Amino acid sequence: MYQVKEAFYTLQGEGAQAGRASVFCRFSGCNLWSGRERDRATARCTFCDTDFVGTDGQGGGRFATPAALAEHISALWPSDAGTAVPYVVFTGGEPLLQLDPALIATLHSVGFEVAVETNGTLTPPAGIDWLCVSPKGKNPLVIDQGDELKLVYPQTEAPPEAFAQLDFRHFFLQPMDLSPLDANDDTVARTTAYCLANPQWRLSLQTHKIAGFD
Ligand code: SF4
């Protein structure tokens, strides 16, 4: 049984695939926080900005089989998308708690590329087409290679230097908490300065928050 908080069609807002039409499938649950505010201070990840509890979001629900969830995702992709390759981004919560080879294979069979955005603390199934790892604090990574390493910055316990030697194609720094915009917040400027001084890293902004889409 797959538990999905929400699923919707949008543009990817962040990182190397920013601007790409995507079905976002947000799985319920995370291994680093319960999602309850009363647990935040003691959680293994404390700066989450996402509601991943339950299955009551837009397009959310419980899906008994890979075919049922793949059908739900396929129905969200436009029927007249021309030559665009259907693209689904599994996120969460932590998607690797639920994503499995059967679901990936089913989505491949109906033409989807499968992307994942993970905190990197769980072993991924084979077959993922785009693997994005976003380290959280001092939680040890079990994934040390992939397509994109996207680090929310700054994190005292997760400096960019700790990840720069890993085997990723793209390295992004993303300023923490861009919304709401705060004139006194210099996080964007500090992130920009780090990228200028360390050009291995590229700046990732949350364009969905800037442009006002989900
Ligand atoms: S790992 Fe991701 S989903 Fe889990 S609590 Fe942290 S930011 Fe939220």
Side-chain angles (χ1 to χ4, degrees):
M1 179 71 71
Y2 302 102
Q3 299 197 38
V4 174
K5 173 67 181 184
E6 57 182 350
F8 53 94
Y9 179 61
T10 186
L11 301 181
Q12 167 62 281
E14 306 173 355
Q17 301 280 5
R20 182 173 180 179
S22 314
V23 176
F24 262 64
C25 181
R26 184 179 309 286
F27 280 123
S28 306
C30 181
N31 60 327
L32 300 185
W33 181 38
S34 68
R36 294 185 293 261
E37 285 301 326
R38 65 175 180 269
D39 298 332
R40 184 187 286 273
T42 56
R44 294 168 64 193
C45 177
T46 57
F47 58 83
C48 189
D49 62 359
T50 304
D51 178 3
F52 55 77
V53 177
T55 59
D56 58 348
Q58 172 192 355
R62 295 158 63 90
F63 300 87
T65 64
L69 182 49
E71 183 177 342
H72 184 62
I73 289 167
S74 294
L76 292 168
W77 185 257
S79 57
D80 55 353
T83 59
V85 176
Y87 190 62
V88 58
V89 180
F90 286 107
T91 183
E94 173 45 56
L96 297 186
L97 291 170
Q98 299 193 57
L99 184 65
D100 58 21
L103 180 55
I104 294 171
T106 305
L107 285 160
H108 282 165
S109 74
V110 293
F112 270 82
E113 284 183 13
V114 175
V116 169
E117 301 200 353
T118 173
N119 59 35
T121 62
L122 300 172
T123 303
I128 294 169
D129 301 298
W130 184 269
L131 183 59
C132 173
V133 171
S134 185
K136 299 296 187 295
K138 62 185 178 185
N139 296 289
L141 295 184
V142 302
I143 304 173
D144 60 6
Q145 59 183 353
D147 297 287
E148 179 177 23
L149 189 129
K150 186 173 61 186
L151 182 65
V152 173
Y153 182 85
Q155 297 184 61
T156 305
E157 295 176 321
E161 302 78 43
F163 308 101
Q165 304 306 317
L166 299 182
D167 185 14
F168 286 82
R169 293 164 59 193
H170 305 278
F171 290 82
F172 281 95
L173 279 195
Q174 186 166 289
M176 186 179 290
D177 194 20
L178 191 61
S179 180
L181 287 170
D182 179 348
N184 297 316
D185 186 353
D186 66 350
T187 304
V188 174
R190 291 168 61 195
T191 311
T192 302
Y194 190 94
C195 293
L196 285 168
N198 302 273
Q200 173 183 352
W201 295 86
R202 295 163 61 182
L203 179 66
S204 173
L205 297 178
Q206 293 180 294
T207 58
H208 51 296
K209 293 185 179 179
I210 297 168
F213 58 89
D214 285 331

